[in-house]
């Protein structure tokens, strides 16, 4: 990633909102196509295991197949698409055998982020977590309604990405972006469909309180416990009571944006 990247440019465009747009100051056509492909995967337009129809996607974007293929190869390198000889490109599926590895990677990145934020002096720390507090409020609002799985899922992942974004570390942000898209893929790949927990507000409030207090160790342990529960739920081995809501995952609300 270009280290001259603007922090603000790490936010997404359009209806799919936060952790996907990692563009340089003057993005090329290939950069912009990559953003659209990531958005389509995250939003469910391109579902796990589905093929990327080059002609159709290129037509919607208003581009030729050359830059589309170059962009797609970036996503292959990121682990979001897979190329199979004779079968073209497909969106990866994240199965049960990969869930623990995925959340271990997320824990490594997000623990590094919360420890970095917690180590700041109090005034700077408050400044860094201000946006995360706004994202917590958005999660609280989504959970209060409690019926829109996609809204809850987006708000949850937005908050986790927002914690990494608050560090200003572009490498951490790049890793977190890919891992969060893979998290969405894992949720969409689940045998029970797209299901999110609705009883996660307290643990996120605890996490931000610990950050505000400058306790990076406690915040890291809270993340670890939260992710452990998430993995157990996804693998069907969480025995304590929990509440969920399911939702549609067909991406019907999203379409490719025609590039300028």
């Amino acid at each position: 990633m270009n280290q001259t990247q603007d922090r603000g440019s790490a936010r997404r465009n359009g209806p799919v909102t936060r952790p996907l747009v990692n563009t340089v100051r003057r993005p090329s056509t290939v950069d912009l196509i990559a953003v659209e492909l990531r958005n389509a995967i995250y939003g469910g337009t391109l579902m796990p295991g589905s093929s990327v129809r080059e002609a159709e996607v290129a037509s919607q974007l208003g581009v030729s197949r050359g830059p589309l293929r170059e962009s797609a190869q970036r996503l292959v390198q990121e682990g979001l698409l897979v190329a199979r000889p004779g079968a073209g490109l497909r969106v990866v599926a994240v199965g049960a055998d990969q869930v623990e590895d995925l959340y271990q990677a997320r824990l490594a990145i997000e623990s590094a982020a919360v420890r970095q934020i917690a180590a700041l002096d109090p005034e700077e720390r408050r400044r860094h977590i201000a946006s995360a507090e706004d994202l917590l409020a958005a999660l609280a609002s989504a959970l209060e309604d409690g019926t829109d799985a996609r809204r809850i899922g987006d708000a949850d992942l937005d908050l986790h990405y927002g914690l990494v974004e608050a560090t200003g570390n572009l490498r951490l942000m790049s890793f977190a972006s890919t891992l969060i898209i893979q998290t969405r893929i894992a949720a969409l790949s689940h045998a029970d469909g797209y299901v999110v927990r609705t009883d996660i507000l307290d643990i996120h409030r605890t996490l931000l309180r610990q950050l505000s207090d400058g306790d990076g160790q406690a915040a890291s342990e809270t993340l670890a416990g939260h992710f452990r529960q998430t993995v157990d739920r996804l693998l069907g081995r969480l025995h304590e009571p929990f509440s969920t809501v399911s939702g549609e995952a067909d991406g019907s609300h999203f379409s490719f944006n025609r590039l300028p």
Side-chain angles (χ1 to χ4, degrees), residues 93-222:
V94 177
D97 60 330
Q98 303 173 63
V99 167
E100 291 196 68
D101 286 350
L102 171 59
Y103 277 89
Q104 285 174 3
R106 280 191 59 187
L107 181 60
I109 297 300
E110 295 182 39
S111 288
V114 297
R115 289 178 184 275
Q116 182 175 326
I117 295 168
L120 299 171
D121 66 73
E123 182 176 350
E124 189 174 5
R125 187 166 63 243
R126 284 193 296 272
R127 180 171 59 83
H128 276 69
I129 66 174
S131 61
E133 290 172 342
D134 291 339
L135 294 169
L136 178 64
L139 177 60
S141 177
L143 289 168
E144 183 179 7
D145 173 69
T147 61
D148 189 337
R150 291 303 291 266
R151 182 185 173 199
I152 294 169
D154 285 350
D156 180 21
L157 293 178
D158 282 354
L159 175 55
H160 282 271
Y161 180 79
L163 291 172
V164 180
E165 185 182 42
T167 68
N169 185 313
L170 298 180
R171 291 187 185 278
L172 287 179
M173 290 159 63
S174 178
F175 293 140
S177 174
T178 297
L179 289 169
I180 284 177
I181 302 172
Q182 291 176 345
T183 299
R184 173 56 58 79
I185 293 172
L188 294 175
S189 301
H190 198 273
D192 293 337
Y194 186 72
V195 179
V196 297
R197 284 187 67 166
T198 57
D199 54 356
I200 57 173
L201 184 58
D202 285 347
I203 197 165
H204 287 91
R205 282 176 169 161
T206 297
L207 176 62
L208 260 67
R209 184 176 65 252
Q210 291 164 336
L211 266 184
S212 181
D213 291 342
D215 194 341
Q217 177 65 29
S220 181
E221 291 173 358
T222 295

Side-chain angles (χ1 to χ4, degrees), residues 15-42:
V16 186
T17 54
R18 204 172 178 82
L20 306 183
V21 176
N22 292 306
T23 61
V24 294
R25 289 180 184 272
R26 295 181 179 178
S28 67
T29 298
V30 172
D31 295 324
L32 295 173
I33 295 171
V35 167
E36 289 294 318
L37 290 173
R38 292 188 194 102
N39 281 344
I41 294 169
Y42 188 86

